[in-house]
């Protein structure tokens, strides 16, 4: 008798941006991790909490932006709990922090903006903001710290909700990520 592992149907989730055009290799890896996490959790879309989780796991510069190990451990604790209770209320709903209008007709949105398919509006906005932040520094590729600053700056997204529950001041973290980015860019 063979032990069969149930297969999770793989559904490609497009990137909101062209990875070759605007992401470092490390940040492209974060996006891949967030996509994998969303599929594994059975979520319809990659949201900002998926991005935050993958970002913390993948990027040492991002981990250093937090105020020490205990704070980071609390954030990771909430993110890990997402699939086993905390965050289950998010399943089947679209994350929208108000940064962009909620899509009422997904098929029509894909025609207008094919990059948005499989991504929450807040996650798309965070990725675009990360690219914008890199551009302001004169860089063509966004870093993990750019994405962290963008996520933490959106006071209504799921990533900020997780940060708040873990006792992290999102505004402080966004500012710290910007400071660290300036240090790394020198």
């Amino acid at each position: 008798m063979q032990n069969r592992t149930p297969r999770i149907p793989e559904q490609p989730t497009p990137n909101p941006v062209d990875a070759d055009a605007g992401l470092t290799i490390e940040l492209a890896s974060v996006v891949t991790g967030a996509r994998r996490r969303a599929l594994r959790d059975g979520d319809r879309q990659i949201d900002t909490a998926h991005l935050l989780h993958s970002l913390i796991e993948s990027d040492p510069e991002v981990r250093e932006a937090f105020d020490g190990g205990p704070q980071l451990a609390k954030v990771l604790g909430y993110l890990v709990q997402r699939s086993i209770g905390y965050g289950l209320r998010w399943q089947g709903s679209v994350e929208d922090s108000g940064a962009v209008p909620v899509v009422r007709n997904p098929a029509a949105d894909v025609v207008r903006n094919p990059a948005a398919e499989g991504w929450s509006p807040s996650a798309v906005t965070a990725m675009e903001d990360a690219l914008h932040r890199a551009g302001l520094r004169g860089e063509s590729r966004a870093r993990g710290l750019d994405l962290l600053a963008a996520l933490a700056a959106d006071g209504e997204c799921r990533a900020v909700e997780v940060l708040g529950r873990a006792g992290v001041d999102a505004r402080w973290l966004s500012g710290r990520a910007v400071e660290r980015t300036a240090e790394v860019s020198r």
Side-chain angles (χ1 to χ4, degrees):
M1 179 179 244
Q2 290 181 329
N3 183 5
R4 293 184 182 233
T5 304
R7 292 192 53 179
I8 297 173
E10 296 205 18
Q11 302 166 358
T13 306
N15 289 331
V17 293
D18 180 6
D20 292 333
L23 304 179
T24 59
I25 292 170
E26 295 81 10
L27 195 50
S29 175
V30 166
V31 169
T32 300
R35 178 183 306 110
R36 197 172 28 247
R37 188 170 306 287
L39 283 171
R40 186 186 63 227
D41 291 348
D43 294 331
R44 293 182 351 206
Q45 296 180 327
I46 295 171
D47 66 20
T48 59
H50 293 123
L51 288 171
L52 179 63
H53 197 162
S54 186
L55 191 58
I56 290 171
E57 287 182 334
S58 302
D59 194 325
E61 290 177 350
V62 166
R63 289 190 297 274
E64 290 173 12
F66 284 83
D67 191 21
Q71 185 183 62
L72 189 57
K74 281 180 93 173
V75 172
L76 278 171
Y78 276 104
L79 289 166
V80 168
Q81 289 178 31
R82 174 186 179 126
S83 62
I84 59 171
Y86 176 77
L88 284 179
R89 62 191 162 81
W90 292 337
Q91 284 186 334
S93 66
V94 174
E95 174 188 33
D96 179 35
S97 65
V100 293
V102 175
V103 177
R104 299 290 180 228
N105 182 348
D109 184 59
V110 171
V111 171
R112 286 191 305 270
N113 182 9
E117 182 184 1
W119 288 76
S120 75
S122 297
V124 170
T125 300
M127 294 299 292
E128 290 170 350
D129 188 23
L131 288 169
H132 177 73
R133 289 168 185 273
L136 290 175
R137 288 192 314 277
E139 295 181 16
S140 61
R141 296 186 186 272
R143 297 180 170 169
L145 288 170
D146 293 315
L147 181 56
L148 179 63
L151 290 170
D154 181 353
E156 300 297 319
C157 73
R158 291 176 182 171
V160 168
E161 183 178 335
V162 169
L163 292 170
R165 290 197 181 251
V168 177
D169 181 336
R171 283 190 213 153
W172 172 84
L173 184 60
S174 182
R176 184 151 160 118
V178 169
E179 290 171 9
R180 294 255 182 195
T181 304
E183 291 172 8
V184 172
S185 297
R186 289 183 199 157

